[in-house]
Amino acid sequence: MNFFRFFYACLLIILASSSHISFAANDTIAKFNLSEFEQHDISQQLTFRKFAQTQFPIPQLRADLPNWLNQLAPHHQANTFGDAFLTVFELYNDSNQSEWFVYPYGSVIANIEIHSFDVIRHATTVLSGHDVSNQQDFHYGAKLDIKPGQSKTIVMVFQSDYFFAPTKILLQPYNTLVKQFNVEKVLILLCLGICLALGIFNLFVFWVVRQFLYLNYALATLAFTVGWASVFGVPELIALGSSTAFLMPSYILGAFFSCYFFMQFLKTESQAPRTALALKVTAFVSLLSLPLAFYSQSIGLYLASMLTSIVLFIGLYAGLNAWRQGFTPARYFTFALLAVLLPNVVGNLMNLGILPGYNINIYLLGLVGNSLDSLLLAFALAAQVRLVNLKNIELTNSLEYTVKQRTDELMQTNLQLEQTNGELLEANLAKGRFLASMSHEIRTPLTSIIGYADGILMGDIDKSEQERVTTIIAENGSHLLAVIDDILDISKIEANKLEFEAIPTPLFAVLAQIESVVGKRARDKGLAFHLDYQYPLPAQIYTDPTRLRQILFNLTNNAIKFTEQGFIGLSVSIEDEQLSIKVKDSGEGISRAQLKTLFEPFTQADSSINRRKGGTGLGLSISQRLARGLGGYIQVESRPRKGSSFILRTKLDVVENSPWINSVTEICQSTPTQTIKPVSLPDFSGNRVLLADDHPNNRELIAILLKRMNIAVTEVENGQQVLDTLFYQQFDLILLDIHMPKMDGTEALKHLRTAGNHMPVIALTANNMKHEVQHYLRLGFSDHLAKPISRHHFVVKLSKYLRKHGVLESHLQPNDMLALIKDYQKELLVQLQKTEDAWQQKDLTLISEIAHRIRGSASSFGFDLVSDKFAVIEQSALQDDEMAIAYTLPKVLQLSRLCATLPQVDIPQGIINHHNSVEQFLYALYELLNVADQSFQDMLEALADNTIYNALVYLNEFQPRIKKCALIGTVEACEQLEVLLSQGDCNPYLSAPHIQQIKMHFAQLKHVLIPNILVEL
């Protein structure tokens, strides 16, 4: 760190004895044979004379030199505060070397003129020094060309406003010195780079930890680095301008920052107050001395020598004391100061003549000491951090021991309280994750059921299939909705007071529901599924059917999730007077160690499961709690790669007079069937409804449903228009959207109720959590309808507030829905662009508003997948989670645009053909590309073999899928190709354009749809 300090201290001693630098005196021109030169300085053998350019200009011919020299007065001492002098010597080349280099070194000198005289020619001049560009970077001197047997006379003129040390002169073969210079250049750049890197690095450390210790270290290191760079002329070399003014001020600044670094590192204010006072005084004097150093580099030399020496010796003293007192990082600190001390002592002893005057660059020695100093001080800082960490660990361990000791004492008296708090904490943590997990698990079958219902309403399902599909919807839809209603009862979960019923339950009806849902999911995944009854079994038992179904769905869903091939099986029996239901699979299996924590909350068998399969790790924990509530438990039998068996055992309480079942035939006889009546729309003729929604497509869809029930509808797009319309019109009911521009729904309702208007108002919003609904009711809304609108709930809500006059046909015509979807498709693209623009501006508020708008409307027009994804975006934006949005939003935008812009595809028609679900449409499209690709290739091979009938068969394998997926770019080509093949014509000139059209369209779709973004999201 203070690498120039000791050098200047010793130099100060020299300068104190004399303010001049002495030279040897001689009366004649020195003559040298070049073969005699080795590693020694010739300056002590030369005569120096005073020089004034204006009074005695240098002659241009060698013959004029003797007379000219006689006019110059002898010069015995160089003035530190500036001087001008010269020396003359003659060189005779009695060697085989022609190229030589004269190298003045040992001091920083502003200007050096090197004049070379031959016998006849005029003198040649080379400029060198700190203020000019040198032939060798970082080194003074000039190259001399002296042929063997020839002589040259050299005149060297030294002019500078400062002389820091005695100047030495070395003559060596050019190639020898260049090799030495190259090594020194590398060392100089390496050392400066090390110091610069350490300084900048510790500036960043300070920026992070905000400890001034690192700032003072960094500034001191950088200050000394600037000083050394100025000494070697680095700024001049890289064209940054003159660095003369910073030669000495940089070292004084380094001394200033070193004082504060020493105080902070060694904690002298608390450990050694007198040392701290000495360092503060030195720092204060350094600050006062700074203007003088800028004014005169010579004055700065004395000041820098004095201040850096004082800081060095105080630091050594304080470091040794700290080391002796047991502060281990002080040893690195002491070695660092010694690294500065030793090279500079060597240089100063050479200047004093105590050590031999080898051609060693004393400035390079000081710079190397600087680098070692900086590195060792960095080690000292690291050792201090390690020491602090060890103390923190020791304190932490001590604190943990104390806390444990106190906790053990308190546990004896507060055990019951701790248990209660633990249960409450578990319930609170379980709430959010449990809801998210179960909602995810149930959403997929629920969406499928709603899709089948819409398919029946739209006429997409054949009448022969409607009874079977309607039965599945009735059984499983009511089950899933009942489960969701129970799960979303937040108050029960928070209070940890789940209530269990014991009502007569048809056992086989519950198991049939499990089979219908889980069996389909298993078969869709390519797994075998079977349900095995171990007769006899009771037809009805007392239990809680909702909790029982919840447990079985959880166990079977887990089995499907972790089974990639093989089977899923359920086995029902009576064992030890308990009902036993075993869920067996051929999946991954669970190790013995993992079984121990399997039922703990938020635990999964493998830490990688969450990344691969998803889930929160709550399902089995909650299922075990539910099983205990039913008077039983769950046990597990499993081995890795051998599958798993989860056995639910519950209390067996058979309903009185319930028959016992011994065969499949008896199951059908004992299980009552329900007849599902078709849903019809009521006739609300004579009623007037005011519909307020800022989304035009939403308004149009709801208005169509209202008008089909003979309701007179008035549409507005914001709360202000609601108030204006009510001023001159009367209505029986208001459907009021919550989020609207200018004036939202809650503000409009407030004005309405304040004015004394108590007309029924139903809130329309995508926010449908229980506490949100209760909030809207407290504000004064009469009721609540969740988006997307369920037609059944819509009719039920309207029936509460409007007068009915009979029933109407319930079907919404496909053409009407197709037009609505096309309009919304255009609107969706506009909203996606607005979302992207808002993200570029990082406007999370606007993103949440747009996401809420899309979430509340997209599902109504078949874009259910888009609605689900933007629900996640809305939640992240409301939580200001910019990182989550940055990760999710680009993929969601890509997926949403894919849902709305497929090349040569009638997307609205495709959505209608797939139960009003763009998600089912996209999956069908992926499946089409996979299946059709092989059939298409088979068709081409059949055409190549001239087997037209086979080609027609292959065409008919994928043509219906193309029509259903509404590939308008391919449907016509397939139809034309079908006509040709039906006529027995496989003329390649006629069929090739149609085949090329199909091939190109498939290629376009693959390019857009690969990779499968549905899987990525």
Side-chain angles (χ1 to χ4, degrees):
M1 171 86 55
N2 299 308
F3 28 75
F4 215 42
R5 291 171 284 199
F6 192 81
F7 168 71
Y8 283 130
C10 296
L11 185 59
L12 182 61
I13 297 172
I14 303 170
L15 295 174
S17 60
S18 173
S19 62
H20 301 276
I21 301 172
S22 300
F23 298 112
N26 222 332
D27 293 333
T28 61
I29 296 177
K31 296 183 180 182
F32 302 97
N33 292 331
L34 291 178
S35 62
E36 299 173 356
F37 282 107
E38 293 182 0
Q39 301 287 341
H40 66 273
D41 170 32
I42 66 170
S43 62
Q44 297 300 318
Q45 305 174 43
L46 298 177
T47 298
F48 291 87
R49 301 178 183 274
K50 294 181 180 179
F51 176 71
Q53 178 73 32
T54 56
Q55 185 177 2
F56 300 104
I58 299 174
Q60 294 299 307
L61 295 176
R62 179 177 179 178
D64 299 331
L65 280 177
N67 293 331
W68 177 74
L69 287 173
N70 291 331
Q71 301 177 51
L72 303 179
H75 186 273
H76 302 288
Q77 296 175 331
N79 193 337
T80 306
F81 291 91
D83 207 341
F85 53 90
L86 60 82
T87 185
V88 182
F89 53 91
E90 184 177 330
L91 300 174
Y92 173 71
N93 189 0
D94 59 344
S95 69
N96 294 326
Q97 299 283 343
S98 298
E99 296 180 340
W100 294 78
F101 196 89
V102 58
Y103 174 35
Y105 67 100
S107 181
V108 180
I109 303 173
N111 291 282
I112 302 174
E113 297 179 11
I114 302 174
H115 302 272
S116 176
F117 292 87
D118 289 336
V119 177
I120 302 174
R121 299 178 194 164
H122 286 73
T124 58
T125 303
V126 175
L127 297 180
S128 186
H130 185 272
D131 294 345
V132 299
S133 178
N134 295 284
Q135 290 183 354
Q136 293 292 324
D137 297 335
F138 313 136
H139 298 83
Y140 303 155
K143 180 182 177 184
L144 301 176
D145 291 321
I146 308 176
K147 295 181 180 180
Q150 291 185 355
S151 298
K152 273 196 178 182
T153 302
I154 308 299
V155 177
M156 299 185 66
V157 181
F158 302 90
Q159 299 183 83
S160 182
D161 293 335
Y162 43 82
F163 285 91
F164 291 166
T167 304
K168 301 179 181 180
I169 300 174
L170 185 69
L171 278 164
Q172 285 290 307
Y174 179 73
N175 291 335
T176 302
L177 272 184
V178 166
K179 291 179 181 179
Q180 176 183 329
F181 290 164
N182 288 338
V183 173
E184 292 182 359
K185 289 175 187 177
V186 172
L187 284 175
I188 291 169
L189 293 176
L190 179 63
C191 292
L192 290 175
I194 289 173
C195 296
L196 184 63
L198 288 172
I200 293 175
F201 172 75
N202 280 275
L203 280 179
F204 282 113
V205 173
F206 165 72
W207 182 261
V208 174
V209 303
R210 298 293 178 175
Q211 292 185 15
F212 284 95
L213 171 73
Y214 295 96
L215 177 63
N216 287 317
Y217 169 83
L219 293 178
T221 300
L222 293 174
F224 285 119
T225 303
V226 169
W228 279 112
S230 300
V231 166
F232 286 102
V234 174
E236 287 82 359
L237 180 64
I238 60 177
L240 292 180
S242 175
S243 62
T244 302
F246 297 97
L247 285 170
M248 291 300 112
S250 299
Y251 294 104
I252 294 178
L253 277 176
F256 173 79
F257 290 116
S258 294
C259 290
Y260 284 98
F261 171 70
F262 292 173
M263 285 190 289
Q264 292 162 352
F265 180 78
L266 299 174
K267 299 180 176 61
T268 55
E269 290 190 336
S270 59
Q271 304 297 327
R274 292 184 179 179
T275 303
L277 178 61
L279 289 170
K280 287 181 179 178
V281 171
T282 306
F284 179 72
V285 174
S286 299
L287 204 57
L288 292 179
S289 303
L290 199 58
L292 294 174
F294 278 106
Y295 173 73
S296 170
Q297 296 302 315
S298 298
I299 297 175
L301 171 64
Y302 289 104
L303 294 173
S305 300
M306 176 184 67
L307 293 171
T308 52
S309 299
I310 292 174
V311 174
L312 171 65
F313 287 114
I314 294 176
L316 278 173
Y317 171 78
L320 289 170
N321 277 341
W323 189 359
R324 184 172 53 84
Q325 293 172 6
F327 183 54
T328 54
R331 58 185 175 182
Y332 292 106
F333 179 87
T334 304
F335 291 146
L337 298 188
L338 290 175
V340 178
L341 174 67
L342 294 177
N344 288 288
V345 166
V346 171
N348 285 284
L349 292 177
M350 288 172 58
N351 286 336
L352 291 171
I354 299 175
L355 290 179
Y358 294 111
N359 60 328
I360 297 176
N361 191 334
I362 60 173
Y363 294 105
L364 182 59
L365 285 177
L367 180 57
V368 171
N370 166 28
S371 303
L372 292 174
D373 173 71
S374 298
L375 285 172
L376 289 171
L377 285 181
F379 290 152
L381 286 172
Q384 186 189 45
V385 171
R386 179 177 177 275
L387 187 62
V388 171
N389 287 338
L390 290 175
K391 288 183 178 179
N392 287 338
I393 292 172
E394 183 179 348
L395 289 173
T396 301
N397 292 336
S398 176
L399 180 61
E400 289 178 354
Y401 175 77
T402 303
V403 170
K404 183 179 182 301
Q405 194 175 34
R406 296 290 178 84
T407 302
D408 290 341
E409 295 173 358
L410 292 173
M411 282 180 62
Q412 299 302 321
T413 56
N414 297 321
L415 181 60
Q416 186 61 41
L417 179 61
E418 289 293 332
Q419 291 175 346
T420 303
N421 287 339
E423 292 172 359
L424 292 175
L425 179 60
E426 180 184 351
N428 189 40
L429 291 173
K431 177 186 67 176
R433 299 187 185 181
F434 176 71
L435 290 177
S437 176
M438 295 309 297
S439 177
H440 172 76
E441 293 294 333
I442 296 174
R443 183 179 294 274
T444 301
L446 181 59
T447 301
S448 176
I449 292 171
I450 294 174
Y452 280 126
D454 283 342
I456 293 176
L457 294 175
M458 306 275 179
D460 297 331
I461 297 177
D462 295 338
K463 290 185 178 180
S464 61
E465 292 289 321
Q466 286 185 4
E467 182 176 356
R468 181 183 64 82
V469 171
T470 305
T471 302
I472 294 175
I473 292 173
E475 293 177 352
N476 297 288
S478 59
H479 151 66
L480 289 176
L481 291 176
V483 171
I484 290 175
D485 288 339
D486 288 340
I487 291 173
L488 295 180
D489 191 349
I490 298 175
S491 61
K492 292 180 182 179
I493 297 176
E494 287 182 339
N496 198 24
K497 293 182 179 179
L498 291 173
E499 297 179 357
F500 292 86
E501 298 178 311
I503 60 176
T505 301
L507 175 62
F508 294 97
V510 172
L511 295 172
Q513 291 173 356
I514 303 297
E515 180 183 20
S516 65
V517 176
V518 177
K520 182 180 183 304
R521 290 190 61 192
R523 286 185 286 272
D524 287 345
K525 194 175 179 181
L527 303 174
F529 179 84
H530 64 266
L531 178 57
D532 181 26
Y533 296 118
Q534 303 291 326
Y535 304 108
L537 294 171
Q540 287 190 316
I541 61 173
Y542 285 107
T543 188
D544 188 328
T546 299
R547 306 303 180 198
L548 179 61
R549 282 191 294 262
Q550 189 173 341
I551 296 171
L552 294 178
F553 271 118
N554 202 328
L555 297 180
T556 53
N557 285 337
N558 274 353
I560 292 174
K561 182 188 296 185
F562 299 110
T563 303
E564 298 301 329
Q565 58 184 2
F567 68 91
I568 305 294
L570 265 73
S571 176
V572 187
S573 62
I574 304 297
E575 296 180 8
D576 299 329
E577 297 184 353
Q578 287 184 314
L579 176 63
S580 175
I581 303 177
K582 178 188 290 186
V583 180
K584 183 174 179 60
D585 63 68
S586 59
E588 300 178 5
I590 307 168
S591 69
R592 182 175 300 177
Q594 294 163 347
L595 286 173
K596 297 179 180 179
T597 60
L598 194 61
F599 291 102
E600 293 182 4
F602 314 114
T603 300
Q604 292 180 321
D606 187 351
S607 61
S608 65
I609 285 177
N610 184 267
R611 295 190 298 272
R612 294 185 289 112
K613 306 290 187 181
T616 63
L618 270 175
L620 289 177
S621 173
I622 294 175
S623 296
Q624 185 71 281
R625 290 173 58 191
L626 295 177
R628 290 169 183 163
L630 296 178
Y633 58 91
I634 298 174
Q635 66 183 94
V636 188
E637 299 172 356
S638 181
R639 287 189 300 167
R641 295 178 298 280
K642 298 295 183 180
S644 304
S645 295
F646 286 79
I647 302 107
L648 168 65
R649 301 185 188 277
T650 66
K651 180 178 64 174
L652 181 62
D653 190 357
V654 181
V655 174
E656 188 177 356
N657 299 325
S658 171
W660 285 75
I661 306 301
N662 294 284
S663 67
V664 176
T665 304
E666 295 181 14
I667 294 176
C668 299
Q669 295 173 353
S670 67
T671 304
T673 58
Q674 296 181 351
T675 301
I676 307 299
K677 296 181 179 179
V679 179
S680 298
L681 295 177
D683 182 3
F684 289 117
S685 301
N687 290 280
R688 294 169 56 84
V689 171
L690 176 59
L691 171 61
D693 194 314
D694 64 319
H695 199 292
N697 302 103
N698 274 356
R699 289 202 309 273
E700 185 176 359
L701 175 62
I702 297 172
I704 287 176
L705 293 174
L706 292 172
K707 291 173 182 177
R708 286 196 175 276
M709 292 180 278
N710 293 330
I711 298 173
V713 184
T714 300
E715 301 177 39
V716 296
E717 62 182 21
N718 59 60
Q720 185 59 52
Q721 292 181 2
V722 169
L723 299 180
D724 295 342
T725 305
L726 288 174
F727 185 74
Y728 58 86
Q729 293 189 53
Q730 293 292 325
F731 296 92
D732 299 292
L733 178 65
I734 300 175
L735 299 178
L736 189 59
D737 187 24
I738 296 297
H739 296 279
M740 294 184 293
K742 293 186 179 179
M743 182 184 294
D744 62 18
T746 56
E747 187 67 20
L749 179 72
K750 180 179 178 181
H751 287 288
L752 193 65
R753 296 303 188 223
T754 303
N757 190 330
H758 297 286
M759 183 186 307
V761 180
I762 298 179
L764 296 177
T765 177
N767 300 329
N768 57 0
M769 296 297 288
K770 184 174 181 180
H771 68 280
E772 294 172 326
V773 174
Q774 292 175 347
H775 172 67
Y776 295 137
L777 296 179
R778 285 195 299 270
L779 290 177
F781 284 96
S782 307
D783 218 321
H784 168 272
L785 262 174
K787 294 180 181 179
I789 301 295
S790 164
R791 274 172 277 189
H792 170 72
H793 287 103
F794 190 41
V795 171
V796 171
K797 298 290 185 183
L798 293 178
S799 300
K800 290 173 60 177
Y801 303 101
L802 301 180
R803 303 177 301 279
K804 289 192 293 185
H805 303 285
V807 295
L808 300 167
E809 183 183 355
S810 62
H811 292 275
L812 181 64
Q813 297 302 319
N815 290 337
D816 294 337
M817 196 63 198
L818 184 63
L820 290 174
I821 295 175
K822 287 182 176 180
D823 290 341
Y824 183 76
Q825 181 185 14
K826 299 175 183 177
E827 171 66 17
L828 177 60
L829 290 173
V830 173
Q831 295 299 324
L832 295 177
Q833 185 59 49
K834 289 182 178 179
T835 305
E836 188 170 3
D837 295 341
W839 174 238
Q840 291 178 355
Q841 302 297 324
K842 296 296 185 292
D843 189 345
L844 299 188
T845 301
L846 180 56
I847 289 176
S848 68
E849 294 176 358
I850 299 174
H852 181 84
R853 182 186 182 97
I854 295 175
R855 176 168 77 95
S857 59
S859 291
S860 301
F861 302 96
F863 292 92
D864 49 350
L865 183 61
V866 177
S867 176
D868 293 342
K869 301 306 178 185
F870 270 92
V872 178
I873 297 297
E874 180 191 11
Q875 189 66 24
S876 298
L878 290 173
Q879 296 174 354
D880 290 332
D881 192 348
E882 189 171 328
M883 184 177 296
I885 294 177
Y887 176 77
T888 309
L889 183 58
K891 294 183 179 180
V892 172
L893 289 173
Q894 180 185 356
L895 173 63
S896 301
R897 287 196 172 99
L898 184 69
C899 293
T901 54
L902 287 169
Q904 302 185 67
V905 178
D906 187 351
I907 294 175
Q909 187 64 56
I911 291 175
I912 288 180
N913 291 346
H914 292 83
H915 313 296
N916 280 354
S917 171
V918 74
E919 182 174 12
Q920 293 187 33
F921 171 50
L922 285 180
Y923 277 117
L925 199 53
Y926 279 113
E927 186 178 357
L928 165 64
L929 293 177
N930 292 331
V931 173
D933 195 35
Q934 184 60 48
S935 298
F936 184 69
Q937 293 299 324
D938 293 340
M939 183 191 73
L940 294 179
E941 293 176 3
L943 287 175
D945 295 338
N946 204 25
T947 55
I948 300 177
Y949 177 76
N950 289 342
L952 186 60
V953 170
Y954 290 130
L955 176 63
N956 289 330
E957 283 184 0
F958 63 84
Q959 186 180 7
R961 292 173 179 263
I962 290 176
K963 290 181 179 179
K964 190 171 183 181
C965 290
L967 305 189
I968 56 178
T970 304
V971 168
E972 184 177 354
C974 288
E975 292 175 348
Q976 294 294 331
L977 190 59
E978 183 182 18
V979 171
L980 290 174
L981 296 179
S982 299
Q983 295 173 353
D985 188 356
C986 62
N987 188 334
Y989 294 102
L990 297 176
S991 60
H994 306 306
I995 292 174
Q996 185 64 23
Q997 171 64 24
I998 298 171
K999 185 183 296 185
M1000 289 178 59
H1001 196 196
F1002 281 175
Q1004 279 183 309
L1005 291 175
K1006 285 183 179 180
H1007 177 72
V1008 173
L1009 294 171
I1010 297 175
N1012 191 337
I1013 195 170
L1014 290 173
V1015 176
E1016 292 182 359
L1017 283 172

